[in-house]
Amino acid sequence: MIFQKEIFRFMSMDKMNQFLLVLFCLVFILFPFKLFKPGDLQLSNYLTVLFCIFGSILYYKELVRIFSERAFLFLGLFGVWTIIVNIFYSTKYVNVEFLIDGAMYFTYFLFSAILVIVLRKYNRIYSNVFLFFSILLIIPICIYVLFISDTSLIPTATFNNKNQLSQWCLFISVYIIYFTNKIKLNISSQIGIALILSILTSLIIISITRAATGAVFILLFIAFFRLPKLIVLTVLFILLILIVHYSLDEKSTNKTISTFEHKYIEKKNKYDTFSGRGYWRISQYPKYLLLGAGEKLHSERFNDRYGIHSSYGNILFSYGIIGFSFLIISYFYFFTTLRWEILLILPFFFISLFHNTLRIPFIWMFPIFYFVDSMNKKVV
């Protein structure tokens, strides 16, 4: 019945907005598929750019007016600053790869601005379609990994590693809780949603990814005080799924124990420590703290092949106090209205301490949904 309503709403949209919605869906449907080598732009990235180009043409007048919103004024300044910094280092080192990073953050600024505009008109259909296709895509992959394969045999077309798969599960889980909190659930709906959440959480747990595991536990803890019955059901399903998973394959149990010992007890890999995420670079190269260092040529400039594995650490070091301040101020204005859902940003915050999540479109959507919902409540 719900799906039929969304089809009706889709058909009632004009052709231009239908195409924009299709682009939006494809950004997230194709997000898991990593067809090119790690570090290269993927299909989802190209579609995000296409969404921004087409949306800018369709809503150019609204985009000009949106700068009156302080959240987007400072987010736009952040995007412009990243372009300035990367153009400088691209010219200095004669390396065009810097320009990709500059374009990426400004693209996500446009993505966020256009999303606010369309959500004001089509909030329900965008949120429902996004959640429907995300769940439809992610659950079969999770079931495959949990009961047929294991995390070392992730389908080769999807993701580059288990960290990316776990993060995807986490992001979808947050949005499920966010939208579930808005509706009244009967028993059958609670069981269905709890089963979906338990499948996503179980995959995160067996992946032994500490950041995602910690973040999903934070999510369940927060949600328990708002949706206690749903979370209790979810935990029970998680225990059942884990028992079935480990009973099906003894090798998976042994591998989990071995991975746990390697990462948590022996800690042989320096990148498995908090300091190994690259925070040391901020104090070791303080000259970049004000204006930023850009995001490329890590080995040549900093004697480390990896960038900083933290959204906040990376923004602070790569774009300095100036860029970091623009981003934080914009977030302050996105969340000026205090509602229970604001706590759901904590799982995003936690995982962003250990991973550079600002390259992922799911992260940019949460402030937008929250911002639009807050505006709608004020109007009501």
Side-chain angles (χ1 to χ4, degrees):
M1 188 67 180
I2 294 177
F3 189 59
Q4 289 177 338
K5 289 181 180 179
E6 300 313 327
I7 292 176
F8 177 77
R9 290 192 181 99
F10 178 77
M11 297 304 295
S12 66
M13 299 167 70
D14 61 81
K15 298 296 183 183
M16 303 288 276
N17 276 295
Q18 284 181 355
F19 180 67
L20 193 64
L21 177 57
V22 170
L23 284 176
F24 173 81
C25 293
L26 288 175
V27 168
F28 295 97
I29 290 172
L30 295 177
F31 171 75
F33 298 96
K34 311 298 181 182
L35 303 184
F36 308 112
K37 66 180 182 180
D40 286 355
L41 296 175
Q42 305 293 335
L43 286 176
S44 179
N45 300 122
Y46 290 112
L47 286 167
T48 303
V49 173
L50 188 58
F51 175 86
C52 292
I53 293 173
F54 189 78
S56 297
I57 295 172
L58 189 60
Y59 291 111
Y60 68 94
K61 292 181 179 179
E62 289 88 342
L63 280 175
V64 173
R65 291 196 293 267
I66 207 169
F67 280 100
S68 63
E69 304 281 357
R70 292 183 180 180
F72 287 97
L73 172 62
F74 284 99
L75 190 61
L77 288 173
F78 168 71
V80 170
W81 181 251
T82 63
I83 291 176
I84 293 172
V85 170
N86 283 294
I87 287 177
F88 171 79
Y89 285 109
S90 177
T91 304
K92 180 178 180 179
Y93 295 105
V94 193
N95 190 318
V96 295
E97 291 184 356
F98 281 97
L99 300 180
I100 296 175
D101 292 314
M104 178 189 67
Y105 291 112
F106 191 78
T107 297
Y108 277 126
F109 155 69
L110 284 177
F111 176 82
S112 302
I114 295 166
L115 191 56
V116 163
I117 294 170
V118 296
L119 285 179
R120 286 171 176 171
K121 297 184 176 183
Y122 308 108
N123 191 343
R124 188 167 180 180
I125 186 171
Y126 266 78
S127 57
N128 287 348
V129 168
F130 158 72
L131 205 57
F132 173 79
F133 281 111
S134 295
I135 293 172
L136 189 67
L137 183 61
I138 196 171
I139 293 303
I141 295 176
C142 291
I143 291 175
Y144 173 82
V145 175
L146 282 167
F147 303 117
I148 301 174
S149 176
D150 60 53
T151 52
S152 65
L153 296 174
I154 294 172
T156 53
T158 61
F159 299 107
N160 295 317
N161 55 58
K162 60 189 176 73
N163 287 332
Q164 294 177 352
L165 178 56
S166 298
Q167 290 172 27
W168 189 39
C169 292
L170 172 68
F171 300 148
I172 299 301
S173 298
V174 173
Y175 286 111
I176 289 174
I177 295 295
Y178 180 84
F179 292 117
T180 298
N181 181 59
K182 296 181 178 183
I183 58 177
K184 292 183 179 180
L185 299 175
N186 55 35
I187 296 298
S188 59
S189 298
Q190 288 192 32
I191 293 174
I193 294 173
L195 185 58
I196 293 171
L197 284 172
S198 63
I199 291 173
L200 299 177
T201 304
S202 298
L203 190 138
I204 293 172
I205 293 173
I206 69 166
S207 297
I208 316 295
T209 54
R210 289 171 296 182
T213 303
V216 80
F217 284 161
I218 292 172
L219 172 64
L220 294 177
F221 178 78
I222 293 170
F224 174 77
F225 295 97
R226 190 76 173 189
L227 304 162
K229 293 180 180 178
L230 177 66
I231 301 307
V232 170
L233 275 173
T234 300
V235 172
L236 291 176
F237 280 136
I238 290 170
L239 295 175
L240 179 61
I241 290 172
L242 292 178
I243 290 171
V244 173
H245 168 76
Y246 286 115
S247 64
L248 288 175
D249 187 2
E250 185 179 345
K251 291 182 180 179
S252 181
T253 304
N254 296 333
K255 184 176 180 181
T256 299
I257 295 172
S258 176
T259 304
F260 185 88
E261 290 176 346
H262 177 78
K263 296 186 72 170
Y264 292 89
I265 300 175
E266 298 174 1
K267 295 182 180 180
K268 291 182 179 180
N269 190 337
K270 71 173 184 177
Y271 295 104
D272 282 335
T273 64
F274 183 79
S275 60
R277 308 313 286 177
Y279 287 99
W280 57 268
R281 195 177 297 176
I282 298 173
S283 59
Q284 192 165 335
Y285 298 93
K287 66 178 182 179
Y288 296 109
L289 198 56
L290 179 61
L291 302 178
E295 295 188 54
K296 297 298 181 184
L297 301 180
H298 304 293
S299 298
E300 295 84 348
R301 295 192 292 165
F302 312 117
N303 196 30
D304 191 334
R305 56 181 175 151
Y306 295 113
I308 298 179
H309 281 239
S310 160
S311 293
Y312 313 110
N314 180 62
I315 294 300
L316 179 60
F317 184 75
S318 299
Y319 303 106
I321 293 174
I322 294 176
F324 185 80
S325 298
F326 285 148
L327 183 63
I328 296 301
I329 293 172
S330 72
Y331 266 62
F332 171 78
Y333 284 113
F334 277 124
F335 296 103
T336 50
T337 302
L338 296 179
R339 305 188 344 255
W340 173 85
E341 291 89 347
I342 197 172
L343 295 175
L344 296 178
I345 199 175
L346 293 179
F348 289 134
F349 174 80
F350 182 82
I351 198 170
S352 296
L353 291 172
F354 305 94
H355 294 283
N356 197 352
T357 57
L358 286 177
R359 296 176 177 272
I360 302 172
F362 290 92
I363 289 290
W364 295 84
M365 283 177 54
F366 183 80
I368 304 307
F369 278 123
Y370 187 93
F371 182 74
V372 172
D373 286 342
S374 297
M375 291 181 61
N376 290 341
K377 289 182 183 296
K378 286 181 179 179
V379 172
V380 174

